[in-house]
Amino acid sequence: MTWTVLHIIGIIAYAISGAFVALQAKYSFIGIFVLGLTTSYGGSIIRNVVLDIPVSDIWERQSLLVVLVTLTTILFVKRNWIHHWNRWGYFFDSIGLASFAIQGGLLAKSLDHDLGIIIIASMFTGVGGGMIRDLLAGRTPLALREEIHAVLTFVCGLCIWAGWSSPLELSVIVIFIVVIRMLSVNNKLKFPLKFLH
C-alpha cells in the first residue's frame, strides 16, 4: 500500500466524517459540503500557517476532486442511514487522524524541522480539521474530550522523526493508530489523570 493510497483514504475518511456530522446536525447540502471540506483541509491550513508555508499548497486537483465526489455521493445516502455513523464514525475519523498526522509530520521533517515542530505539525494536521468541524456543528471538539486523540498524533510525530517513511512503515502507523483508537472508544479508555479531578 503506497503513501498516495493512504493519503487518499485519509482524505475520503475525513470528508465522510465531516459529511455525517453535518447530517447528524440536520444541515442542508451546503452544510455537508462545508463540513466535509473543512474536515479534509482545515488541519492542513492550520499546519501551513504554523510552518509559515503558503496555504495554497494544500489545494491539489486530485484530492479536491476526490473530496467533492465523496461528498456528492453522500448527498444521495438515505437519511435514515445516519444511525450507522455511530458505528462507523470513529473508524473513519481514526483513519483520517492517522493519515493526516503522518502527512503533517512528513511535511515538517522534509523542511528539516526538529522533533517539537514535527509533533506540532502532526497534531494540528491530525486534529485541526475535526476540531473546526465540531465547532461548526455546535459541539465540543472530539479532540478536547478524548486524550488519546492528541497522544496518537504525538506517536505519529515521533515515528516520523525517527525516520519511518516507507509505505510499509506508514501503513503500520495507520493500523496501530486505528486499532488503539477503536479499542479506546469501544472500552471507554481514558488516561488516569487523577490530578485533574
Side-chain angles (χ1 to χ4, degrees), residues 147-168:
E147 302 99 338
I148 196 73
H149 218 76
V151 171
L152 290 174
T153 63
F154 287 13
V155 171
C156 277
L158 283 170
C159 290
I160 299 302
W161 173 76
W164 288 37
S165 59
S166 73
L168 176 60

Side-chain angles (χ1 to χ4, degrees), residues 113-185:
H113 286 294
D114 58 20
L115 174 60
I117 300 300
I118 291 172
I119 288 177
I120 288 171
S122 289
M123 182 181 68
F124 278 127
T125 313
V127 304
M131 290 181 71
I132 297 171
R133 171 203 67 203
D134 290 340
L135 289 171
L136 289 175
R139 62 188 204 177
T140 304
L142 191 59
L144 300 182
R145 290 184 278 125
E146 217 184 72
E147 302 99 338
I148 196 73
H149 218 76
V151 171
L152 290 174
T153 63
F154 287 13
V155 171
C156 277
L158 283 170
C159 290
I160 299 302
W161 173 76
W164 288 37
S165 59
S166 73
L168 176 60
E169 290 168 333
L170 298 179
S171 298
V172 168
I173 296 171
V174 171
I175 292 168
F176 173 79
I177 286 179
V178 171
V179 168
I180 296 300
R181 176 106 189 284
M182 294 309 296
L183 284 173
S184 73
V185 167

